[in-house]
Amino acid sequence: MIKPLDHILNVPVYKPGKPVEEVKRELGLSEIIKLASNENPFGCSLFVKKAVEREAVNINRYPDGGAFYLRKELSSFLEIDENQLIFGNGSNDILDMIARAFLDKNSEVLMFQYSFIVYKIVSLLQGATVKEIPVECDFSRNLEKLLESITDKTKVIFIDNPCNPTGFANKKEEFDEFIKNVPDNVLVVIDEAYFEYAKEHGVPDGLNYVNPINPKIPRKNVIVTRTFSKAYGLAGLRIGYAIAQKEIIEILERVRQPFNVNRLAQVAAIEALKDQKFVEFSVKENEKGKEFLYEEFEKRGIHFVPTYGNFIMFKVDDAKMVYENLLRNGVVIRPAFGLDNYLRVSIGTMEENKKFIEKLELLGFKCKI
Ligand SMILES: *Cc1c(COP(=O)(O)O)cnc(C)c1O
């Protein structure tokens, strides 16, 4: 049998949340609640659906590789130059471009323990060495520790802020200090997939490091990645983007596949951006769901990590048992990668949140107060 490159076999395999169709098929269930992939439980903007229908007649034609209209719309929305943007087939595509453009077997990559697993995958695929910085026992992350771990070989630092799966985020003041002190030969990737959910809670806006507004924080090599998969509700279309200095964007453009973002995704993203009301609604409902779940966890003595995203990580004695039992009851959540006693639940509609709690109750997690 033909063999791949040696290092490929040591790369962890990404395990997605189980798709609804698969659970239905395997367990013979007709009603499934999926709280496993941090998707928007409210769907997406109605304007998006209309635009996708309109665009369907053109799918025999290749998409615009440069995403002309979307670029215009997004650059004016973010108030940045058009040449500071690159689009990806999901922001995962951009993480992969970053690894391909900057990493090889001589490079070292830094990230915190329990970061989004894709950073490790794309880095190891390039043959790079990955160093994971331990988090504190409450899952908080010490950015000074990260600075101290930088060596001459460090090329890229990946930080998900907020972090998936823990939900933790570093505050603006900590990040200011970190960026100020990061060396000029290191590239910092700030993954802001949950920015829309987190931005009112004291987290930094990475754009302010790409285009510095504070004279005390000089410009460093920073790439901010964001996505339409979460608050905008377009996970199934696959579209994300990155913001950086134009020189860095030019480098990434060299490794981007020519037609990486499809037609439907481009028109959908334009309409999604224009409908900020839908995003605001989603964020507000997420806050309500978060408070509800916090309260229900507290009542039942279930330990959880306060979250800045649209998901909550919580602790149980036997995570595998709880996960499988919920699955059999038609509620799909997610084991927290690398954390044996923890599970991650996405915040759903209030109806879904209540169903999830009901099923937990059936497993013996009764109210203690
Ligand atoms: C969901 C998520 C993404 C988004 O990936 P897409 O490819 O844009 O769907 C990126 N980073 C983190 C940390 C995530 O949780």
Side-chain angles (χ1 to χ4, degrees):
M1 194 48 202
I2 194 154
K3 286 215 170 68
L5 300 171
D6 280 344
H7 72 278
I8 302 284
L9 298 172
N10 298 323
V11 177
V13 177
Y14 183 84
K15 292 192 195 76
K18 267 182 180 293
V20 171
E21 297 81 1
E22 185 178 320
V23 180
K24 283 186 180 169
R25 210 165 50 230
E26 287 180 356
L27 297 171
L29 297 169
S30 56
E31 268 196 47
I32 303 287
I33 294 176
K34 188 184 176 202
L35 300 173
S37 304
N38 306 342
E39 295 146 337
N40 190 323
F42 302 100
C44 66
S45 163
L46 286 174
F47 299 105
V48 165
K49 291 178 191 166
K50 289 192 186 130
V52 168
E53 276 174 27
R54 275 199 306 274
E55 187 63 23
V57 296
N58 295 323
I59 58 171
N60 56 319
R61 304 288 177 194
Y62 282 106
D64 171 9
F68 182 86
Y69 294 106
L70 174 57
R71 184 178 298 276
K72 266 202 175 330
E73 192 70 33
L74 186 57
S75 67
S76 90
F77 177 73
L78 297 173
E79 298 177 352
I80 56 165
D81 288 342
E82 289 183 22
N83 57 18
Q84 293 196 288
L85 279 172
I86 188 166
F87 295 93
N89 185 28
S91 53
N92 276 285
D93 185 26
I94 296 171
L95 297 172
D96 187 54
M97 290 181 216
I98 294 168
R100 281 189 291 126
F102 293 99
L103 300 175
D104 67 11
K105 63 180 193 324
N106 301 312
S107 337
E108 190 178 83
V109 173
L110 297 185
M111 64 187 72
F112 280 107
Q113 188 185 16
Y114 313 129
S115 293
F116 188 45
I117 184 80
V118 171
Y119 313 147
K120 202 190 241 176
I121 295 176
V122 297
S123 303
L124 293 177
L125 284 174
Q126 291 304 114
T129 306
V130 171
K131 260 217 279 196
E132 289 182 276
I133 316 303
V135 301
E136 311 306 305
C137 46
D138 59 355
F139 296 103
S140 65
R141 299 163 151 197
N142 185 337
L143 292 175
E144 280 169 36
K145 269 194 196 167
L146 188 54
L147 274 180
E148 287 162 13
S149 308
I150 296 173
T151 71
D152 293 342
K153 289 175 121 187
T154 307
K155 282 287 278 203
V156 176
I157 299 178
F158 287 104
I159 312 175
D160 38 358
N161 204 51
C163 162
N164 173 10
T166 68
F168 176 81
N170 287 100
K171 293 291 171 75
K172 180 179 174 298
E173 294 68 30
E174 301 167 82
F175 243 97
D176 283 356
E177 205 52 34
F178 170 73
I179 296 290
K180 213 191 292 180
N181 290 301
V182 83
D184 286 320
N185 55 347
V186 170
L187 175 64
V188 179
V189 180
I190 311 174
D191 179 347
E192 298 185 339
Y194 301 96
F195 181 71
E196 295 79 10
Y197 294 108
K199 66 179 184 180
E200 301 297 334
H201 298 280
V203 304
D205 177 341
L207 259 62
N208 296 333
Y209 303 126
V210 173
N211 295 333
I213 47 165
N214 179 347
K216 291 204 191 102
I217 308 170
R219 190 197 291 274
K220 297 294 171 73
N221 300 302
V222 173
I223 301 180
V224 175
T225 61
R226 291 190 189 163
T227 184
F228 286 96
S229 297
K230 305 285 158 61
Y232 287 97
L234 305 185
L237 280 174
R238 314 301 305 124
I239 178 161
Y241 59 96
I243 310 127
Q245 281 170 256
K246 77 173 196 318
E247 291 79 7
I248 293 178
I249 295 294
E250 279 164 13
I251 296 169
L252 295 179
E253 281 291 349
R254 288 172 177 269
V255 295
R256 183 178 66 79
Q257 296 280 337
F259 302 110
N260 61 327
V261 180
N262 71 71
R263 275 179 177 277
L264 303 182
Q266 290 187 32
V267 297
I270 291 172
E271 294 307 315
L273 267 179
K274 287 191 201 155
D275 191 356
Q276 288 299 316
K277 280 222 169 75
F278 174 79
V279 179
E280 284 159 25
F281 167 79
S282 304
V283 171
K284 243 185 228 147
E285 290 300 310
N286 186 68
E287 289 297 317
K288 289 185 209 160
K290 190 197 301 186
E291 289 311 317
F292 170 78
L293 290 172
Y294 280 181
E295 237 172 74
E296 293 297 323
F297 283 151
E298 269 162 16
K299 277 195 269 182
R300 292 169 163 74
I302 298 173
H303 175 71
F304 62 89
V305 183
T307 187
Y308 288 81
N310 63 345
F311 55 90
I312 306 175
M313 194 170 87
F314 63 100
K315 191 171 184 222
V316 291
D317 286 337
D318 191 344
K320 194 167 183 292
M321 186 276 286
V322 174
Y323 169 77
E324 281 168 7
N325 269 302
L326 286 173
L327 196 60
R328 253 178 266 137
N329 280 288
V331 179
V332 194
I333 62 167
R334 184 83 185 265
F337 197 91
L339 283 151
D340 288 343
N341 295 320
Y342 285 85
L343 294 166
R344 191 196 71 191
V345 62
S346 304
I347 299 168
T349 63
M350 203 46 99
E351 198 186 332
E352 291 171 329
N353 297 330
K354 285 182 177 154
K355 271 269 166 59
F356 161 68
I357 293 294
E358 257 171 49
K359 303 292 178 188
L360 265 187
E361 174 116 9
L362 287 180
L363 296 183
F365 293 93
K366 304 248 190 269
C367 277
K368 297 199 167 134
I369 39 174

